[in-house]
């Protein structure tokens, strides 16, 4: 049990889940629940897919900027500055945005933008979909390689083969061993145990920390470019309003990358640096999964902030800035607090756990 929903002292509901912290070698540092719970990566896969475009020479071919690399690793809110960034990138590549095959249902995520579009009678297009940046990776890669643009989203398309290969290499496996499924935006997603998600994000935190004998080391240069772009552009990763990924990265600048995936998964790369209450300063990855899918976000919000507090990455002013995510509240029509989500768990070091 990770988070309790409480209304005037009455426990209304519980959010159960699993949390794992690991280093890039896969060594568990902290764990609560089942580190071998298999999850679909959903949008947490995106930073590693960008590697396929980088290794193909996409930065040089299309003169890509950090903001553009970041949005290709994002689940953006569909705000105007996200759209302008994507449009500029696609325009330089000579690719029309009408080729985006990610759909537009339920978009944009940003409530203010959605309200404005509705007021003006404008229907959101696929470019405002949170996964349009991910789809842009395949479109640009297809333009670069001369592959068919219309069918880029199909599993056997060369751009998807390249994307799949980059993901497999980042996770230390081969494409034929990947367990796949269909993601909400129409492309493939992949399944791994939670501990492997944490391990991959530890690699993202410090790509050069791997042993020279580790085959993932061949990705280090490209993954470093992705990491630096994401760290420098937190508003591209989520958005300017009520996006925890962006808020976490702004509250702890240059210390972490946070990336949510649907069905209440969050992966966090913790960059090297001092932590409060611990001597640990090495990079690590943190993976958090809420069992019930957490349709209200409150479980993942509260558990994510609390887990980062317990591992020593967030304290003091950062926690004050993040208070609305740490203990999310529900207000009545008069502004009174009706209910509160309270994180209650102890993420103990693995060496201190008793079987």
């Amino acid at each position: 049990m990770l988070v309790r929903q409480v209304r005037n002292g009455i426990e209304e509901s519980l959010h159960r889940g699993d949390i794992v912290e690991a280093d890039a070698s896969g060594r568990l540092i902290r764990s609560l629940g089942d580190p071998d719970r298999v999850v679909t990566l959903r949008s947490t896969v995106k930073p590693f897919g960008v590697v396929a475009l980088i290794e193909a020479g996409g930065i040089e071919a299309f003169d890509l900027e950090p903001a553009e690399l970041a949005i290709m690793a994002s689940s953006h809110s569909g705000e105007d500055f996200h759209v302008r960034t994507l449009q500029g990138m696609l325009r330089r590549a000579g690719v029309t945005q009408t080729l985006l095959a990610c759909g537009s249902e339920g978009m944009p995520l940003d409530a203010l933008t959605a309200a404005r579009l509705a007021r003006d009678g404008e229907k959101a297009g696929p470019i405002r979909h949170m996964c349009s940046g991910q789809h842009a990776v395949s479109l640009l890669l297809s333009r670069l390689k001369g592959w068919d643009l219309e069918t880029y989203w199909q599993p056997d398309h060369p751009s998807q083969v390249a994307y799949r290969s980059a993901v497999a290499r980042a996770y230390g496996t081969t494409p034929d061993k990947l367990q796949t499924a269909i993601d909400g935006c129409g492309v493939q997603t992949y399944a791994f145990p939670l501990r492997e998600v944490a391990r991959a994000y530890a690699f993202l935190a410090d790509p050069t920390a791997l042993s020279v004998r580790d085959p993932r080391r061949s990705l280090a240069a490209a993954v470093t470019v992705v990491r630096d772009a994401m760290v420098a552009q937190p508003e591209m990763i989520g958005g300017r309003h009520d996006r925890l990924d962006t808020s976490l990265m702004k509250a702890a600048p240059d210390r972490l990358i946070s990336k949510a995936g649907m069905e209440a998964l969050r992966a966090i790369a913790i960059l090297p640096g001092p932590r409060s209450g611990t001597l640990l300063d090495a990079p690590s990855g943190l993976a958090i999964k809420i069992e019930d899918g957490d349709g209200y976000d409150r479980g993942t919000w509260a558990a994510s902030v609390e887990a980062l507090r317990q591992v020593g990455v967030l304290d003091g002013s950062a926690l004050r800035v993040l208070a609305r995510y740490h203990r999310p509240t529900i207000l009545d029509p008069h502004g009174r607090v009706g209910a509160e989500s309270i994180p209650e768990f102890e993420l103990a070091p693995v060496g201190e756990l008793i079987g």
Side-chain angles (χ1 to χ4, degrees):
M1 197 280 292
L2 300 180
V3 178
R4 296 190 303 126
Q5 176 77 355
V6 177
R7 188 177 296 269
N8 194 29
I10 303 165
E11 185 176 88
E12 289 193 310
S13 57
L14 300 174
H15 294 289
R16 304 181 189 277
D18 310 277
I19 304 176
V20 182
E21 184 184 14
D23 64 19
S25 73
R27 179 180 66 88
L28 294 189
I29 300 170
R30 294 177 175 87
S31 180
L32 183 64
D34 182 7
D36 293 310
R37 173 186 285 273
V38 174
V39 297
T40 49
L41 297 182
R42 307 297 295 270
S43 288
T44 65
V45 75
K46 292 174 179 177
F48 306 107
V50 183
V51 168
L53 180 61
I54 294 174
E55 290 192 329
I59 292 178
E60 298 78 14
F62 303 119
D63 194 25
L64 298 176
E65 299 289 337
E68 294 165 335
L69 294 170
I71 205 165
M72 286 191 283
S74 80
S75 296
H76 64 81
S77 291
E79 298 169 65
D80 289 350
F81 73 98
H82 295 128
V83 171
R84 287 193 298 269
T85 301
L86 285 161
Q87 287 175 332
M89 178 174 61
L90 294 172
R91 190 180 305 115
R92 289 199 311 278
V95 175
T96 173
Q97 69 186 53
T98 60
L99 288 168
L100 287 166
C102 49
S104 59
E105 184 69 25
M107 301 296 150
L109 294 181
D110 181 63
L112 293 176
T113 302
R116 192 194 77 231
L117 294 178
R119 181 198 66 198
D120 296 343
E122 180 181 343
K123 185 179 184 299
I127 200 162
R128 290 196 188 269
H129 192 284
M130 61 181 174
C131 296
S132 58
Q134 179 187 22
H135 283 240
V137 172
S138 293
L139 281 172
L140 265 61
L141 190 56
S142 298
R143 171 63 78 196
L144 181 62
K145 295 290 189 177
W147 298 328
D148 181 65
L149 295 172
E150 297 278 353
T151 59
Y152 77 85
W153 54 273
Q154 296 180 0
D156 58 352
H157 190 277
S159 69
Q160 295 299 321
V161 173
Y163 198 103
R164 191 158 55 241
S165 175
V167 173
R169 290 166 60 204
Y171 273 80
T173 187
T174 55
D176 60 294
K177 295 180 180 177
L178 290 172
Q179 184 177 355
T180 64
I182 299 174
D183 207 340
C185 63
V187 296
Q188 282 189 328
T189 188
Y190 313 95
F192 285 95
L194 208 57
R195 65 164 75 220
E196 292 297 317
V197 180
R199 174 176 174 255
Y201 268 72
F203 172 40
L204 178 62
D206 188 0
T208 64
L210 296 177
S211 162
V212 293
R213 295 184 298 276
D214 193 315
R216 293 176 295 162
R217 189 65 184 259
S218 65
L219 291 171
V223 172
T224 299
V225 171
V226 176
R227 179 200 65 185
D228 292 348
M230 295 179 77
V231 167
Q233 301 286 336
E235 290 187 344
M236 288 294 173
I237 307 308
R240 290 173 174 161
H241 311 113
D242 288 325
R243 295 302 305 276
L244 179 57
D245 288 334
T246 293
S247 296
L248 284 173
M249 294 171 68
K250 292 176 75 171
D254 303 321
R255 287 303 318 279
L256 58 85
I257 292 171
S258 178
K259 187 72 204 69
M262 292 298 288
E263 295 302 319
L265 175 68
R266 173 164 280 104
I268 301 173
I270 302 174
L271 279 61
R275 306 191 192 189
S276 61
T278 176
L279 297 177
L280 181 69
D281 62 2
S284 67
L286 194 62
I288 301 155
K289 169 67 176 175
I290 298 295
E291 186 177 273
D292 59 25
D294 194 24
Y296 295 98
D297 285 330
R298 64 195 183 205
T300 42
W301 282 3
S304 296
V305 176
E306 177 63 15
L308 284 168
R309 184 194 71 81
Q310 291 192 29
V311 303
V313 178
L314 297 177
D315 62 6
S317 62
L319 284 175
R320 288 191 289 275
V321 167
L322 296 166
R324 65 193 177 97
Y325 299 109
H326 195 187
R327 293 173 71 116
T329 57
I330 295 176
L331 305 180
D332 78 351
H334 310 288
R336 297 175 300 182
V337 174
E340 184 178 30
S341 297
I342 304 171
E344 289 190 358
F345 59 87
E346 183 180 357
L347 189 57
V350 169
E352 295 179 8
L353 297 177
I354 299 174

